[in-house]
């Protein structure tokens, strides 16, 4: 909730879930009704997530009364979702069946007795009343307050049709409008299901051990520190740390990664992930409302309440458009007859303009697309925190990447070992034994390499260990003094280094590697090259982004030589090295001046200023860090860049669909209005134009569910 008005104090707010919203307009009416309830100080409806937040005291019964105009069902946020009746059995739809049946009978009787006869007219009137009862109540209330919305326009049109004797067409309009509303409800529910499916990911109960006792407990009653027992094939109900066992977990529900991840003691695990093979004991670290999956659901639902820029445009447009349509319809109905036209014919045309002018399709054009896209992204491990960020990502022209931990793994590894005489295994063992006492960040890479080679360097006795500041270390092993350090250290020791060895060192350094040397004061025994390893996906991701016409820039604090080596390897179009955090920030501002829409991709901790300055901040590895979830506009839940091209593809598609929807909604209205001139616009055509536009716009938006990586 980023608009200031929405910052209702979280502590005093009570959230309820609502079932049955069909349109943003109805959500607005419901919000106003709730605000008027006794004891309620404020209320805010989130249409996309189907929620209402209430400040003050009220009951579910009172809230359902406030939503009676649309038969809304309300439940507490924590309650399980109500089993929805099948679409065809819903009460609102049964009225449509009865109304349609009466219409058909009246039409048959009209053919028999003539359209003007009292019997078919009574049939049509009954059909209008049954099918349009709730529509009329809302419409007449709005009319008395001079509030013009969809219901008001339809009420005037249907009553007008009855007055001029077009009972059959009035009844048809009621039924077609009711069908349109039902289908709109159905498709909106479809769009929301992508979020509801997230809520069902984590189990509602877990097997907990307290003391010596094991019991099934509801997640609301599980405490931090409880031990959760997870059997193979079960899903985890809570976040925690593994304290016993090893297993592979499928984390697709949280991170979108389809490849299972091995988890063992002290590893972090998340609610909603599936334990595939081993028995795990997990110490619970968060309460149910703080788990990663709860945060994802909360952020996604809040994202849907955020208005996309095109939504703000549509809302503003609809505010002036609806009264304008009413005035236009009035002119069409009144002016031509004053100059000799037939009153009945032109009133009919005016009524048809009212129907075609309904802003249904236009109003629904953006929210359905935004809800669908954000839901699809969340199911694929990408958190987009609002319609505005979805639209911004679709317009991106440049993306800046932090190097360490984003394009690279952020963990140094040994890439090359060159030995001069002697045994590589032996020299590695001695180097690792000496480096064990060092504080240097590259020491851990050498020890990992020695471990991987199966070398038992812990048994090597190291004596007289000494650190040589900024250059390396020296120590004695089995009576021999060895040095481990930079090539500079050996230049000082030996005076100069043999040219063939200098060439090898230079070649490795040009490749962006750091070279460490093992030797004595007489000779060089081994060269070890260490580098921060490239992520497997980086090259392919950068290549895809370059093909999408996006400028890719790598930002790093590393020296120019290392940066260029890695930049070339990964294929970025621009490289900026030797940067401090404030330099990154300034560079992002410079890029924005050039391109306007610029994203920054980082790990969300040290890149926070640059993430905030970019038009879209993208954080990686959101599943483990709260900082990433909070600072970024988009969080990739897995530690994998491959979701980035998918996010941009989805955002571009959403932008295209929103533009198509708005253009189509307005174009179909224009075409229908042009038909007024020759007097061809009928109520039938008008309602089909309105209903068809709404349906097509909604179905077009649902195509976003099919966007895959």
């Amino acid at each position: 909730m980023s608009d200031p008005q929405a910052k209702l104090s979280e502590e005093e707010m009570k959230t309820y879930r609502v079932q049955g919203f069909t349109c943003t307009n109805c959500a607005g009416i419901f919000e106003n009704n709730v605000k008027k309830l006794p004891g309620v100080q404020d209320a805010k409806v989130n249409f996309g997530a189907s929620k209402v937040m209430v400040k003050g005291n009220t009951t579910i019964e009172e809230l359902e009364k406030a939503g009676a105009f649309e038969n809304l069902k309300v439940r507490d946020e924590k309650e399980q979702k109500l089993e929805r009746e099948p679409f065809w059995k819903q009460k609102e739809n049964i009225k449509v069946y009865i109304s349609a049946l009466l219409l058909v009978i009246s039409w048959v009787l009209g053919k028999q007795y003539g359209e003007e006869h009292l019997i078919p007219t009574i049939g049509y009137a009954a059909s209008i009343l049954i099918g349009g009862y709730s529509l009329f109540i809302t419409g007449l209330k709005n009319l008395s307050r001079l509030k013009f919305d969809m219901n008001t326009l339809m009420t005037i049109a249907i009553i007008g049709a009855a007055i001029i004797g077009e009972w059959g067409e009035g009844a048809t309009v009621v039924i077609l409008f009711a069908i349109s509303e039902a289908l709109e409800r159905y498709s909106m529910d479809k769009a929301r299901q992508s979020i509801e499916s997230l809520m069902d990911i984590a189990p509602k109960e877990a097997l907990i051990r307290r003391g010596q006792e094991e019991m099934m407990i509801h997640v609301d009653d599980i405490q931090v520190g409880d031990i959760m027992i997870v059997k193979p094939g079960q899903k985890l109900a809570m976040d925690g740390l593994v304290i016993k066992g090893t297993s592979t977990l499928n984390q697709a529900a949280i991170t979108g990664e389809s490849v299972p991840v091995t988890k063992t003691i002290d590893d972090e695990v998340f609610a909603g992930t599936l334990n595939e093979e081993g028995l795990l004991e997990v110490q619970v670290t968060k309460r149910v409302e703080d788990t990663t999956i709860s945060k994802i659901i909360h952020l996604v639902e809040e994202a849907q309440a955020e208005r996309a820029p095109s939504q703000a445009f549509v809302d503003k447009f609809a505010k002036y458009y609806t009264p304008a349509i009413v005035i236009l319809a009035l002119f069409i109905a009144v002016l031509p007859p004053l100059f000799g036209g037939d009153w009945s014919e032109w009133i009919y045309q005016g009524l048809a303009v009212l129907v075609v002018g309904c802003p249904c399709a236009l109003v629904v054009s953006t929210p359905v697309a935004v809800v669908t896209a954000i839901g699809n992204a969340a199911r694929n491990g990408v958190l987009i925190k609002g319609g505005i960020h979805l639209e911004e990502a679709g317009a991106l022209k440049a993306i800046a990447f932090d190097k360490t931990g984003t394009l690279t793994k952020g963990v140094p590894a040994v890439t090359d070992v060159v030995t001069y005489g002697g045994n590589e295994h032996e020299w590695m063992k001695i180097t690792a034994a000496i480096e064990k006492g060092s504080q240097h960040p590259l020491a851990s890479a050498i020890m990992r390499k020695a471990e991987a080679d199966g070398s038992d360097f812990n048994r090597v006795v190291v004596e007289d260990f000494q650190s040589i500041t900024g250059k390396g270390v020296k120590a004695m092993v089995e009576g021999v003094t060895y040095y481990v350090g930079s090539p500079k250290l050996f230049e000082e020791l030996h005076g100069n280094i043999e040219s063939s060895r200098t060439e090898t060192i230079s070649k490795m350094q040009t490749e962006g590697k750091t070279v460490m040397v093992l030797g004595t004061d007489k000779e060089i025994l081994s060269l070890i090259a260490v580098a921060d390893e490239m992520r497997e996906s980086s090259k392919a991701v950068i290549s895809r982004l370059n093909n999408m016409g996006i400028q890719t820039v790598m930002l790093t604090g590393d020296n120019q030589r290392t940066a260029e080596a890695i930049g070339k390897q990964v294929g970025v179009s621009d490289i900026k090295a030797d940067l401090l955090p404030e330099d990154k920030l300034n560079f992002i501002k410079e890029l924005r001046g050039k391109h306007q829409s610029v994203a920054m991709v980082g790990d969300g901790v040290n890149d926070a200023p640059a993430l905030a300055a970019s038009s879209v901040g993208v954080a990686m590895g959101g599943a483990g860090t709260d900082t990433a979830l909070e600072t970024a506009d988009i969080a990739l839940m897995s530690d994998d860049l491959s979701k980035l091209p998918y996010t941009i593809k989805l955002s571009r598609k959403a932008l295209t669909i929103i533009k198509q929807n708005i253009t189509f909604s307005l174009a179909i209205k224009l075409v229908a209005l042009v038909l007024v001139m020759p007097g061809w616009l009928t109520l039938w055509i008008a309602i089909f134009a309105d209903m068809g536009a709404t349906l097509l716009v909604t179905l077009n938006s649902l195509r976003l569910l099919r966007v895959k990586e």
Side-chain angles (χ1 to χ4, degrees):
M1 290 185 292
S2 65
D3 82 76
Q5 209 192 342
K7 297 262 180 210
L8 306 168
S9 161
E10 294 280 338
E11 289 72 40
E12 303 165 52
M13 296 296 295
K14 179 102 178 75
T15 305
Y16 300 90
R17 294 198 177 273
V18 185
Q19 210 162 290
F21 279 143
T22 52
C23 62
T24 46
N25 192 46
C26 322
I29 296 167
F30 177 60
E31 187 177 292
N32 287 331
N33 290 354
V34 173
K35 281 178 181 171
K36 287 174 193 157
L37 289 175
V40 172
Q41 294 153 38
D42 202 355
K44 183 165 182 10
V45 166
N46 177 338
F47 172 66
S50 265
K51 293 201 299 189
V52 60
M53 284 154 283
V54 181
K55 187 177 184 180
N57 295 315
T58 189
T59 62
I60 286 178
E61 289 70 31
E62 289 287 317
L63 289 170
E64 287 193 340
K65 257 187 220 163
F69 70 95
E70 217 192 356
N71 201 14
L72 299 177
K73 294 276 171 281
V74 179
R75 69 180 197 274
D76 193 283
E77 188 180 29
K78 287 186 179 172
E79 262 180 58
Q80 292 294 298
K81 75 166 178 279
L82 310 164
E83 272 313 307
R84 240 201 122 91
E85 280 181 303
F87 179 69
W88 57 275
K89 267 192 189 175
Q90 285 166 24
K91 202 191 288 179
E92 305 94 299
N93 298 342
I94 290 169
K95 290 189 302 190
V96 182
Y97 309 146
I98 298 168
S99 189
L101 187 65
L102 282 170
L103 175 71
V104 172
I105 293 167
S106 307
W107 182 75
V108 171
L109 292 171
K111 289 285 175 210
Q112 213 168 334
Y113 298 106
E115 285 292 333
E116 306 299 317
H117 197 278
L118 187 64
I119 294 175
T121 304
I122 290 169
Y124 286 135
S127 173
I128 287 173
L129 280 172
I130 292 166
Y133 170 75
S134 53
L135 165 73
F136 295 143
I137 288 178
T138 315
L140 291 167
K141 263 189 201 164
N142 288 350
L143 199 54
S144 67
R145 297 188 198 122
L146 288 180
K147 186 179 169 201
F148 293 99
D149 69 0
M150 223 156 49
N151 297 303
T152 323
L153 299 187
M154 295 305 281
T155 304
I156 299 170
I158 292 156
I159 293 171
I163 290 169
I164 60 170
E166 295 288 350
W167 288 93
E169 290 214 17
T172 310
V173 166
V174 166
I175 287 162
L176 289 175
F177 182 69
I179 292 170
S180 159
E181 289 247 277
L183 290 172
E184 203 177 307
R185 229 181 3 256
Y186 175 72
S187 48
M188 200 61 212
D189 277 354
K190 256 277 189 256
R192 285 198 193 103
Q193 273 166 16
S194 52
I195 305 304
E196 297 228 326
S197 65
L198 284 175
M199 293 177 199
D200 299 331
I201 284 170
K204 297 290 174 271
E205 286 188 319
L207 181 60
I208 293 291
R209 182 193 299 129
R210 282 184 187 159
Q212 300 304 308
E213 231 182 309
E214 288 184 9
M215 51 202 149
M216 287 300 285
I217 295 184
H218 193 275
V219 286
D220 289 341
D221 303 320
I222 295 174
Q223 304 294 325
V224 170
D226 278 347
I227 306 300
M228 177 170 67
I229 297 161
V230 191
K231 295 173 182 171
Q234 284 185 342
K235 277 186 177 177
L236 278 73
M238 306 289 277
D239 284 12
L241 286 176
V242 177
I243 56 167
K244 190 177 175 188
T246 301
S247 183
T248 53
L249 260 63
N250 185 329
Q251 301 195 134
I254 304 285
T255 64
E257 299 165 285
S258 49
V259 180
V261 180
T262 303
K263 297 281 182 179
T264 186
I265 293 168
D266 283 344
D267 283 342
E268 192 175 11
V269 289
F270 307 111
T273 56
L274 176 69
N275 180 19
E276 295 201 332
E277 49 197 31
L279 181 74
L280 289 179
E281 288 191 13
V282 175
Q283 186 165 27
V284 175
T285 53
K286 291 176 186 168
R287 288 189 55 76
V288 66
E289 59 271 20
D290 300 324
T291 60
T292 303
I293 189 74
S294 300
K295 276 205 174 123
I296 293 173
I297 293 164
H298 178 70
L299 286 168
V300 167
E301 291 186 331
E302 292 312 319
Q304 295 180 344
E306 292 234 346
R307 307 220 140 189
S310 45
Q311 174 71 14
F313 155 75
V314 164
D315 289 351
K316 205 178 228 174
F317 184 83
K319 196 173 157 189
Y320 299 107
Y321 163 86
T322 313
I325 284 286
V326 174
I327 294 163
L328 178 68
L330 196 64
F331 281 154
I332 289 169
V334 175
L335 285 181
L338 290 177
F339 295 99
D342 176 14
W343 278 97
S344 175
E345 187 187 319
W346 283 104
I347 288 173
Y348 179 84
Q349 288 290 307
L351 296 174
V353 166
L354 273 187
V355 173
V356 86
C358 271
C360 294
L362 189 63
V363 169
V364 92
S365 60
T366 306
V368 183
V370 169
V371 168
T372 310
I374 288 174
N376 182 354
R379 290 217 317 276
N380 282 290
V382 178
L383 251 183
I384 300 173
K385 288 165 68 177
I388 184 163
H389 309 307
L390 178 75
E391 290 198 12
E392 284 277 14
L396 284 176
K397 298 281 185 295
I399 301 179
F401 294 87
D402 173 46
K403 178 184 79 79
T404 310
T406 302
L407 291 173
T408 63
K409 290 179 180 171
V411 180
V414 172
T415 53
D416 307 80
V417 180
V418 179
T419 54
Y420 300 103
N423 180 322
E424 180 187 319
H425 186 76
E426 190 59 35
W427 294 146
M428 202 63 186
K429 183 172 165 181
I430 290 170
T431 311
I434 295 170
E435 282 290 340
K436 200 170 80 168
S438 166
Q439 295 301 306
H440 199 280
L442 301 182
S444 57
I446 289 170
M447 283 151 67
R448 276 196 303 274
K449 168 73 174 155
E451 259 169 34
D453 292 348
S455 138
D456 190 3
F457 61 87
N458 288 312
R459 289 198 179 168
V460 175
V461 180
V462 177
E463 297 168 317
D464 297 341
F465 178 87
Q466 239 179 307
S467 181
I468 306 162
T469 312
K471 291 169 192 163
V473 293
K474 73 170 185 172
M476 192 182 280
V477 176
E478 293 175 2
V480 180
T481 301
Y482 292 97
Y483 293 81
V484 180
S486 66
K488 270 188 186 160
L489 171 68
F490 284 86
E491 276 172 24
E492 286 176 20
L493 281 173
H494 299 169
N496 61 358
I497 299 174
E498 205 179 297
S499 61
S500 64
R501 286 166 201 194
T502 311
E503 274 171 33
T504 310
I505 291 167
S506 295
K507 182 173 173 285
M508 287 173 174
Q509 284 175 335
T510 311
E511 288 165 2
K513 297 165 184 172
T514 304
V515 180
M516 294 176 75
V517 185
L518 166 74
T520 64
D521 52 8
K522 302 274 189 302
E523 59 180 331
I524 288 176
L525 304 169
S526 173
L527 302 178
I528 300 164
V530 178
D532 186 358
E533 276 188 296
M534 191 65 61
R535 287 182 187 276
E536 290 82 0
S537 58
S538 293
K539 199 171 178 179
V541 167
I542 298 293
S543 162
R544 277 182 72 185
L545 292 172
N546 289 337
N547 291 340
M548 286 171 142
I550 291 172
Q551 181 191 348
T552 50
V553 186
M554 183 180 85
L555 309 181
T556 179
D558 266 355
N559 63 63
Q560 192 71 33
R561 204 170 176 188
T562 307
E564 278 181 6
I566 287 178
K568 279 192 188 122
Q569 196 183 335
V570 80
V572 288
S573 42
D574 202 355
I575 297 156
K576 297 286 169 196
D578 296 310
L579 300 179
L580 296 168
E582 59 265 32
D583 298 330
K584 288 186 183 179
L585 177 64
N586 293 332
F587 182 71
I588 292 289
K589 286 180 179 168
E590 194 185 304
L591 258 186
R592 278 196 79 168
K594 195 163 127 197
H595 290 300
Q596 288 183 317
S597 242
V598 174
M600 167 74 192
V601 185
D603 57 10
V605 185
N606 58 355
D607 300 314
L611 285 174
S614 59
S615 29
V616 183
V618 182
M620 283 179 59
T625 59
D626 288 352
T627 325
L629 290 181
E630 265 127 53
T631 53
D633 304 316
I634 295 176
L636 310 179
M637 299 309 286
S638 66
D639 221 4
D640 181 9
L641 272 180
S642 61
K643 299 283 173 196
L644 195 57
Y646 152 77
T647 308
I648 288 164
K649 179 176 157 192
L650 178 73
S651 303
R652 283 183 175 181
K653 185 90 171 161
L655 264 187
T656 306
I657 280 177
I658 288 168
K659 282 175 188 160
Q660 283 172 354
N661 286 352
I662 293 172
T663 310
F664 178 71
S665 311
L666 292 174
I668 206 156
K669 308 280 180 209
L670 267 174
V671 169
L673 291 176
V674 167
L675 294 178
V676 171
M677 308 300 175
W680 293 345
L681 184 63
T682 66
L683 279 173
W684 284 75
I685 293 174
I687 192 72
F688 267 121
D690 178 62
M691 175 181 153
T694 307
L695 265 179
L696 285 171
V697 156
T698 312
L699 293 172
N700 192 29
S701 299
L702 290 177
R703 288 196 302 141
L704 286 165
L705 284 173
R706 290 172 33 210
V707 177
K708 300 273 190 297
E709 278 185 60

